[in-house]
Amino acid sequence: MRPALVPGDWLLVRRGAAVHPGDLVVARLPGDPDRLIVKRAQWHGADGWWLESDNQRAGGRRDSWDFGPVNEIVGRVVLRYWPLLRRR
């Protein structure tokens, strides 16, 4: 999710919060519901939210272009912060 997020960032997520286009959200990965993903909500359609990565050219990127609309939104990211000691 660069440039919005970088490895090591911590997130405060409001579970069940209303989601609007442009929000960062935490969702369950379709096909692997035990795995959580962080993506940007683009629009809501009849089948669920269309989620996209901020960097469409990133290697290994997976978003709604790969798995379609997502129904299982866990929550909306309300705050990003850094740990006191960030690994380099």
Side-chain angles (χ1 to χ4, degrees):
M1 284 299 298
R2 288 180 190 243
L5 302 174
V6 296
D9 285 352
W10 292 0
L11 304 174
L12 180 63
V13 177
R14 184 170 182 190
R15 290 180 168 268
V19 176
H20 302 95
D23 288 345
L24 283 178
V25 297
V26 175
R28 297 204 179 276
L29 180 64
D32 188 0
D34 292 334
R35 197 163 176 201
L36 298 176
I37 56 174
V38 178
K39 299 292 173 190
R40 190 163 307 276
Q42 292 299 327
W43 69 83
H44 189 266
D47 296 329
W49 277 97
W50 189 266
L51 305 179
E52 290 187 9
S53 298
D54 281 355
N55 185 351
Q56 288 293 310
R57 294 182 181 184
R61 167 206 60 76
R62 290 189 64 204
D63 57 20
S64 287
W65 290 105
D66 302 304
F67 46 70
V70 176
N71 285 318
E72 293 189 66
I73 302 294
V74 174
R76 179 173 44 96
V77 175
V78 294
L79 179 71
R80 173 187 75 159
Y81 61 101
W82 303 270
L84 292 175
L85 298 173
R86 188 173 245 193
R87 289 184 183 206
R88 294 181 183 221

